[in-house]
Amino acid sequence: MTNRRQFLKTAGLTAAAAAPAMLAAPHVKAQALIRWRLQTYAGPALAEHVIKPAIDSFNKIAEGQMEIELYTADQLVPTGELFRAMQAGTIDAVQSDDDSMNSPVDIKVFGGYFPFASRYSLDVPTLFHQYGLNEIWDEAYSEVGVKWLSAGAWDPCNFATNKPLKSLEDLKGLRIFTFPTAGQFLNRFGVVPVTLPWEDVQVAMQTGEIDGIAWSGITEDYTVGWADVTKYFLTNNISGAWCGSFFANADRWNEVPDNLKELFKLTMDSSHYYRQHWYWGGEAKLRVEGTKLELTTIPDEEWKTVEAEALKFWDEIAATSPRAAKVVEILKKYRETMEKAGPPYRYS
């Protein structure tokens, strides 16, 4: 604005001495192209589905006004440093879950796979839009100088291993690549959580550094190549849908004109919608038609003990902060509502 005022002041002095015909020619100031760097948690093959189509669409529609450069997992900064890099302005925006990018907020544990918080992918947007999580997330991130933009659902969290899992006893001692909070919970059943760069997971399976993966459903196992290095897929899951969000550096978001903000909101909705049907259809189709992974199941009665333990875990998390307690209260209310509603919302 300072440069613009100085220009207008100088232009006014010049115009006063100019011929009358010159006054009829208006000055048009060109809008500089806004460039963002956005990094996703997803590797290249997965990003082709979970974000690239939406960003390509945004860039096409915003031609001449804004362009978003998309980077995949660990390409600019390690996933665990995404939040700090965005907060500092090293990158402008992020698509990730709160948990794996190590957000310094008390609700970060609910991102990614919070045990049994959801049964189906539609649970996630319902919790955010109808049960108050939108406001809670916005409040938490406003306190740390980052603009939380929108949350959506991904796939469920299942095990893919080289050992068949048919009872809880089979989990003991397994070195599993998974998310921080999911790993903290699974440790109660003897699982040894392992943290690795996303791009190293496939090689770690081949070398025996890890015994399995609890990072996704079967769609991603096939898409990213993990089905090529594992033999078994456990149909039981600890969460029906991963919860991830879009975030932006607050200052950079405030610089974006309102029309482009609205366009980006539509872009996020487009991304959320694509994942809803891509994962929902993919999970079923690959269980039925997939040829690379043998399905195994832990009996329902035994798996219910895992779900019961999750509710104890919820209470422990609720004790960590008043805001975390509020989220757990919402999750419990939602769970109660779905169970009372019965099929198709919940099956006993």
Side-chain angles (χ1 to χ4, degrees), residues 33-305:
L33 176 66
I34 299 171
R35 291 187 182 276
W36 269 19
R37 298 198 298 177
L38 186 157
Q39 184 169 312
T40 176
Y41 75 98
L46 184 57
E48 287 289 332
H49 291 278
V50 300
I51 189 170
K52 189 176 184 298
I55 297 303
D56 287 346
S57 179
F58 177 91
N59 288 338
K60 183 177 181 180
I61 299 171
E63 182 179 12
Q65 297 181 69
M66 184 170 175
E67 182 177 328
I68 298 175
E69 298 172 357
L70 178 63
Y71 297 87
T72 55
D74 305 314
Q75 197 170 359
L76 294 179
V77 297
T79 296
E81 299 175 16
L82 275 176
F83 181 89
R84 297 298 183 187
M86 173 177 51
Q87 188 182 43
T90 305
I91 54 178
D92 305 297
V94 165
Q95 181 202 42
S96 178
D97 69 280
D98 323 60
D99 198 25
S100 59
M101 76 172 186
N102 199 28
S103 294
V105 293
D106 52 3
I107 55 169
K108 75 172 184 178
V109 295
F110 301 105
Y113 290 119
F114 190 65
F116 295 97
S118 62
R119 183 69 61 88
Y120 308 114
S121 58
L122 278 174
D123 291 338
V124 173
T126 303
L127 281 162
F128 275 84
H129 291 293
Q130 297 185 23
Y131 281 75
L133 295 194
N134 273 342
E135 292 74 18
I136 293 173
W137 259 246
D138 183 66
E139 174 189 79
Y141 282 96
S142 294
E143 294 173 0
V144 291
V146 162
K147 179 62 178 176
W148 171 83
L149 295 171
S150 181
W154 275 252
D155 52 340
C157 183
N158 299 77
F159 284 84
T161 62
N162 280 331
K163 170 187 175 181
L165 304 180
K166 298 181 179 180
S167 71
L168 291 181
E169 187 69 24
D170 294 331
L171 296 177
K172 293 182 178 179
L174 289 182
R175 295 161 299 171
I176 300 294
F177 170 71
T178 190
F179 291 83
T181 300
Q184 181 184 349
F185 174 68
L186 289 171
N187 185 248
R188 298 176 178 224
F189 303 94
V191 169
V192 180
V194 177
T195 301
L196 292 169
W198 189 91
E199 62 184 7
D200 294 344
V201 173
Q202 190 161 341
V203 173
M205 278 298 305
Q206 292 171 308
T207 61
E209 183 180 351
I210 59 176
D211 302 305
I213 302 161
W215 199 86
S216 68
I218 198 168
T219 306
E220 288 189 17
D221 290 336
Y222 274 78
T223 301
V224 306
W226 293 341
D228 298 323
V229 294
T230 54
K231 297 178 181 177
Y232 301 97
F233 179 85
L234 181 66
T235 59
N236 312 76
N237 65 58
I238 66 163
S239 176
W242 186 78
C243 175
S245 295
F246 286 88
F247 308 83
N249 175 279
D251 291 336
R252 294 309 307 275
W253 176 253
N254 290 335
E255 293 169 1
V256 176
D258 288 344
N259 67 313
L260 293 178
K261 285 180 179 176
E262 289 302 313
L263 176 58
F264 194 71
K265 290 175 184 178
L266 292 172
T267 297
M268 292 185 291
D269 285 343
S270 172
S271 175
H272 296 329
Y273 172 70
Y274 179 95
R275 291 190 311 275
Q276 285 281 349
H277 63 78
W278 185 63
Y279 280 120
W280 183 256
E283 294 300 300
K285 183 177 181 179
L286 287 170
R287 284 191 183 200
V288 175
E289 301 178 9
T291 59
K292 297 179 180 180
L293 295 172
E294 180 181 335
L295 305 184
T296 65
T297 301
I298 294 175
D300 288 343
E301 288 305 313
E302 194 173 356
W303 196 251
K304 283 181 180 178
T305 64

